[in-house]
Amino acid sequence: MTNNIPIEDQYKRTSLFEKENINYLVHVLKRFNTVPKINNINIITSNTVPKVFKIVPNKSIIIGALYLRNPVLALVYLRYGIEWQLWYKSLEGEKKDTSLCNIAALEVTRIFYKLLPKEDKEKLENVDYFLINLIKSDDSLNAESLLNHEELEAFHGLNTGDKIFEKSWKPIVDNLAKPTEYLLMDGGDFRLNIDEIALLNKYGCRPFPRPEAFTFASSTATSVSNFAFDKTDKARSILIKNSLKNGFKESAIEFSELLKSNLRKIFTLNDACEIIFSPSGTDSSLQIAAISQIVTDKEITHILVASDETGSGVPAALKGCHFENNTALNYPVKKGDKMEGFRDVDLIKIPFRDEKGILKSSEKLDAEVLEAITETYKLGRQAILHVMDHSKLGYQSPSVKMMQEIDDLKEVSLQVIIDAAQLRLDPADIQNYLNKGYIVSITGSKYFTGPPYSGALIFPECVSQQITDAKKKLPKGLTQYFNHSDWPVNWFCSKELSDGFNYGSYMRWNAAIVEMDRYYKTPILYRNMGIEMFCNFIEDSIKDAAFLKPVYGDKPNVGNEEFGIRNIRTIFPFFILKNKEVLSVENVKKLYTLLNSDLSNKFEGESLEIIRLAAQKCHIGQAVNVKYEDDIQSAVLRISLGARVISESWVNRDISLYFRNIEAQMSQITVIIKKIELILNTPELLK
């Protein structure tokens, strides 16, 4: 075939590249970046046969020029072709099983199509192409019906004789024939679903890279980075190959254990420290609630410190109640209903703020914690103390001094849980907690900016042994939330949980661990200097803006002056004022959404500088309700340091470039504050 040119080696001034079309073409090419990157597969365009779409196994994908006139059409076809090549490369032996490639590639492409924004789908409404018609079809297409699909076979032209769908393929297709961006939102709950316009979830981020946004939202959630996405996409490819070679179950268990091993290495943990992954921090609280019921026969009291600044579903989870209307394993449930098998428990809430919204002193919080423990002890109950290491506004409680006193209460039946969901800790901090016998609850999605919904519990050896020795089974209601594979193999209690594997949780953790690894590769001197430099700039910038009012309490409680991530403020909450009056909760939430959106169409006719400012998407920590000056209900937004500020600045071990990159991100903070001011000065935006 002549006149075939690799797609990246041509740029003809056709109508596709005209000024009015170029932005849309860039939009489509950005999405193409989520397609797997496979070595030695060329994408070639054909001008001589404009209607051709052909897969040359292990070599190339040939796509006719006619497809390229509609970039979304080309995107969908190429997504199919590249996925087909990925599965073909994963096959062992003589590679006769092309029907598996057809089925897997079609399933991935159908999901990929569903995740396209509405405007892209509209570009495909009136086209009549076989693949588009097939993926848009409402007909149920099972594996058997696709085995001898002539049109799919025609794409590659391989005649492999009898077509059989092997039984061993089903779990591989069910779990791994999904785009990586889908896996990163799978195995959670409705809060990870994305809208069809901006492709954002409830937390204002998406399951594939969003480099166009200025992002300092690590107190809430962050879109996955290009680096972590590519590494996780590669992990999916390896898992497909390993599953076809060694079997699905063995490969899934091996991957889960590898993730736990990597997490232990990053934080220098003893191999005897068991780890349980969970879909979210709230799911981790549910695991704690269940475990506490099998290790003691006593009545249980959970003492929840910072109840007003922990996850909204945590109190329900600790009581053994459903906290959403569906579970991570996609069971429909009713929020608030009690799960089967849970005993009744008491829950004592100790909020950071009093009824008037005033932040309590450290001494006041310590006194309330001690009183709760004392009263629980007098009643002969088991106390489970949930300590807040770092809240969503940056506070800690109880104090270091109070924790030392609590550790000395030898006669009290007490288990301490550290809520380190923000994970603004150094490895030594985690080791210190575990050495004291505390269970540590973490997520990879806050400070370390992994995809949202990656929770884990880390158990010290002494507690793990307690659970190993317990011969009771976990409450039956947990079968709707967790698989047996999520739990340590030597724990009897979890034997009757569901079969299966939560690959969504695994993939999110893979992305988070990738971020942790590159963060710690930055030398500690430059890492800590960058942290202080960046955080000082945020603090000064907020103070200098007359329309922002910072909400900083005392410095976080520390036991010494040695620098550590938990010894410095890295979350910066602030009220927003307009004409010296604080915004209502509704307007704060509205401003948060506007800040994270392209508003350029609202400023037509303004200067180019204003239009660019309005267009810039800025993602920061979402609104938290807080009373202003103790009597006016309002909410604060948050700008936060995330690990990526450091790791993405450390390039090629170049120190001068590192600090220049930090300064570039400081400039992004300035833009965010200017956009807040622009929104405030445009009254119709907040109506």
Side-chain angles (χ1 to χ4, degrees):
M1 188 177 292
T2 59
N3 203 15
N4 290 346
I5 310 170
I7 197 168
E8 294 175 337
D9 293 343
Q10 58 179 304
Y11 186 84
K12 291 189 176 181
R13 291 296 299 169
T14 63
S15 61
L16 183 64
F17 296 99
E18 296 299 329
K19 183 177 180 181
E20 60 270 19
N21 295 329
I22 196 71
N23 287 341
Y24 186 72
L25 181 59
V26 168
H27 156 81
V28 173
L29 287 172
K30 284 180 181 178
R31 187 58 188 273
F32 186 69
N33 194 55
T34 67
V35 174
K37 297 167 179 63
I38 308 177
N39 293 331
N40 304 318
I41 299 294
N42 293 318
I43 299 173
I44 297 171
T45 61
S46 173
N47 294 312
T48 54
V49 188
K51 293 184 178 180
V52 69
F53 177 76
K54 184 172 179 58
I55 297 169
V56 182
N58 255 348
K59 292 183 179 180
S60 62
I61 299 165
I62 302 171
I63 187 165
L66 190 63
Y67 292 84
L68 299 178
R69 294 177 188 174
N70 185 337
V72 182
L73 177 66
L75 176 66
V76 173
Y77 266 81
L78 289 173
R79 185 66 185 89
Y80 177 88
I82 290 174
E83 190 68 25
W84 194 97
Q85 295 278 22
L86 187 156
W87 286 77
Y88 188 78
K89 278 180 171 287
S90 299
L91 290 171
E92 291 290 308
E94 298 180 32
K95 298 181 180 280
K96 290 183 177 181
D97 302 316
T98 55
S99 56
L100 171 63
C101 304
N102 300 344
I103 291 164
L106 181 64
E107 182 58 26
V108 166
T109 308
R110 290 183 75 170
I111 297 172
F112 180 79
Y113 168 79
K114 290 178 182 177
L115 295 181
L116 290 175
K118 186 179 179 182
E119 67 169 324
D120 288 355
K121 289 177 183 169
E122 289 172 351
K123 304 281 186 183
L124 300 175
E125 280 183 356
N126 299 315
V127 302
D128 185 15
Y129 284 79
F130 158 70
L131 185 59
I132 302 301
N133 294 337
L134 189 59
I135 64 176
K136 287 164 65 175
S137 171
D138 291 330
D139 297 337
S140 177
L141 296 172
N142 56 38
E144 287 71 22
S145 69
L146 293 169
L147 282 176
N148 295 295
H149 212 293
E150 292 181 1
E151 289 91 340
L152 292 177
E153 292 287 307
F155 285 153
H156 51 77
L158 295 180
N159 185 3
T160 55
D162 294 337
K163 306 293 192 302
I164 299 172
F165 188 79
E166 301 285 350
K167 186 178 179 181
S168 62
W169 294 346
K170 188 176 189 314
I172 303 173
V173 171
D174 288 348
N175 286 274
L176 293 170
K178 298 173 180 177
T180 296
E181 60 267 33
Y182 181 84
L183 283 171
L184 291 176
M185 56 187 277
D186 195 22
D189 62 34
F190 293 145
R191 289 172 288 181
L192 289 185
N193 292 351
I194 56 177
D195 72 84
E196 65 173 349
I197 306 298
L199 303 185
L200 300 178
N201 60 28
K202 178 185 175 182
Y203 303 105
C205 53
R206 61 174 55 140
F208 55 91
R210 196 176 179 233
E212 68 272 18
F214 291 172
T215 300
F216 302 97
S218 67
S219 59
T220 303
T222 309
S223 299
V224 64
S225 70
N226 293 73
F227 181 81
F229 185 90
D230 287 348
K231 292 285 188 181
T232 304
D233 194 53
K234 182 65 175 176
R236 184 178 80 95
S237 300
I238 293 170
L239 280 163
I240 291 169
K241 185 171 185 176
N242 289 347
S243 297
L244 289 170
K245 180 180 179 180
N246 304 321
F248 172 74
K249 185 173 182 180
E250 180 179 334
S251 299
I253 292 171
E254 182 181 296
F255 184 54
S256 173
E257 291 306 310
L258 175 65
L259 292 173
K260 293 175 183 178
S261 176
N262 289 341
L263 197 57
R264 289 188 188 98
K265 286 178 185 176
I266 284 168
F267 293 122
T268 323
L269 304 180
N270 189 312
D271 286 345
C273 293
E274 293 287 5
I275 296 172
I276 305 179
F277 289 138
S278 68
S280 72
T282 306
D283 288 279
S284 292
S285 294
L286 179 59
Q287 290 170 335
I288 288 293
I291 290 168
S292 66
Q293 301 218 351
I294 65 168
V295 295
T296 181
D297 292 324
K298 291 183 177 182
E299 295 298 304
I300 296 167
T301 297
H302 289 279
I303 302 168
L304 183 60
V305 183
S307 57
D308 52 346
E309 286 198 30
T310 190
S312 59
V314 168
L318 293 178
K319 291 181 177 180
C321 297
H322 298 297
F323 46 87
E324 285 293 334
N325 289 319
N326 80 314
T327 74
L329 297 185
N330 208 28
Y331 285 95
V333 293
K334 187 176 180 182
K335 186 176 180 179
D337 280 1
K338 191 76 167 285
M339 296 179 211
E340 185 177 352
F342 277 88
R343 309 198 307 264
D344 289 340
V345 300
D346 281 352
L347 175 65
I348 299 175
K349 296 181 181 180
I350 301 179
F352 272 135
R353 297 176 184 274
D354 62 20
E355 317 80 54
K356 295 181 179 179
I358 301 172
L359 187 67
K360 299 173 186 174
S361 67
S362 179
E363 293 75 17
K364 170 69 172 167
L365 288 164
D366 283 352
E368 290 184 27
V369 170
L370 186 59
E371 181 183 4
I373 294 172
T374 304
E375 291 303 312
T376 301
Y377 169 66
K378 287 179 181 178
L379 295 171
R381 301 173 68 95
Q382 170 71 43
I384 312 289
L385 176 63
H386 299 261
V387 171
M388 178 54 72
D389 176 83
H390 220 104
S391 75
K392 60 180 68 175
L393 296 185
Y395 302 123
Q396 300 167 353
S397 184
S399 67
V400 172
K401 180 182 177 183
M402 175 52 60
M403 288 307 299
Q404 290 170 345
E405 290 182 25
I406 290 170
D407 288 341
D408 292 336
L409 298 174
K410 303 300 181 185
E411 72 280 5
V412 175
S413 183
L414 174 71
Q415 175 61 56
V416 173
I417 316 294
I418 302 296
D419 183 343
Q422 290 285 337
L423 201 44
R424 296 172 192 272
L425 296 170
D426 293 308
D429 298 317
I430 297 175
Q431 295 159 17
N432 181 50
Y433 282 143
L434 293 170
N435 289 338
K436 292 181 178 181
Y438 301 166
I439 300 170
V440 183
S441 175
I442 66 172
T443 73
S445 57
K446 304 293 186 185
Y447 182 68
F448 284 100
T449 70
Y453 276 48
S454 48
L457 292 173
I458 307 176
F459 294 84
E461 185 176 1
C462 59
V463 176
S464 180
Q465 190 59 52
Q466 265 188 287
I467 301 169
T468 302
D469 294 341
K471 297 306 176 186
K472 294 180 181 177
K473 295 171 185 174
L474 292 167
K476 191 173 180 180
L478 257 61
T479 58
Q480 296 180 311
Y481 282 83
F482 307 111
N483 295 310
H484 169 56
S485 59
D486 297 329
W487 298 64
V489 292
N490 60 330
W491 287 8
F492 170 82
C493 62
S494 57
K495 299 295 183 186
E496 293 189 3
L497 291 180
S498 304
D499 289 329
F501 301 88
N502 190 336
Y503 259 105
S505 176
Y506 295 165
M507 290 300 188
R508 291 189 289 276
W509 263 111
N510 185 84
I513 289 169
V514 162
E515 294 289 3
M516 294 172 182
D517 183 59
R518 68 168 176 159
Y519 172 79
Y520 285 117
K521 284 179 179 174
T522 307
I524 192 167
L525 169 65
Y526 308 129
R527 189 167 76 225
N528 289 347
M529 287 180 68
I531 288 170
E532 292 210 73
M533 177 179 167
F534 187 77
C535 290
N536 289 341
F537 183 81
I538 298 176
E539 186 169 9
D540 291 344
S541 298
I542 292 173
K543 286 179 179 176
D544 286 348
F547 49 91
L548 304 181
K549 184 172 181 180
V551 186
Y552 312 148
D554 298 332
K555 262 183 81 176
N557 301 315
V558 293
N560 55 63
E561 292 304 313
E562 183 179 347
F563 183 91
I565 191 65
R566 76 188 301 270
N567 296 5
I568 184 172
R569 175 168 288 284
T570 57
I571 299 175
F572 298 86
F574 52 85
F575 288 108
I576 303 170
L577 308 178
K578 184 176 182 181
N579 300 325
K580 298 185 178 180
E581 292 186 1
V582 70
L583 293 188
S584 66
V585 173
E586 180 185 0
N587 276 341
V588 172
K589 291 180 177 179
K590 192 178 292 185
L591 186 143
Y592 165 81
T593 302
L594 292 169
L595 200 58
N596 200 21
S597 307
D598 179 350
L599 304 179
S600 56
N601 62 341
K602 306 290 185 182
F603 293 89
E604 293 179 2
E606 296 287 346
S607 67
L608 185 59
E609 181 184 1
I610 293 295
I611 291 172
R612 283 178 174 171
L613 178 60
Q616 180 59 56
K617 297 164 186 172
C618 304
H619 185 212
I620 63 176
Q622 65 185 184
V624 177
N625 290 2
V626 178
K627 285 189 177 179
Y628 178 73
E629 294 185 344
D630 307 334
D631 61 348
I632 302 172
Q633 187 60 60
S634 184
V636 296
L637 298 181
R638 296 160 287 163
I639 296 175
S640 306
L641 169 76
R644 234 184 272 174
V645 170
I646 303 302
S647 57
E648 291 191 342
S649 297
W650 182 245
V651 180
N652 298 327
R653 299 187 61 82
D654 188 317
I655 300 169
S656 61
L657 183 61
Y658 171 73
F659 288 111
R660 192 186 77 181
N661 289 339
I662 295 283
E663 288 167 353
Q665 294 185 81
M666 288 158 53
S667 297
Q668 293 181 12
I669 300 298
T670 301
V671 171
I672 290 170
I673 292 174
K674 284 183 176 180
K675 187 169 180 181
I676 293 174
E677 185 176 27
L678 178 66
I679 293 169
L680 290 173
N681 291 337
T682 312
E684 58 269 23
L685 291 178
L686 292 177
K687 283 183 179 177

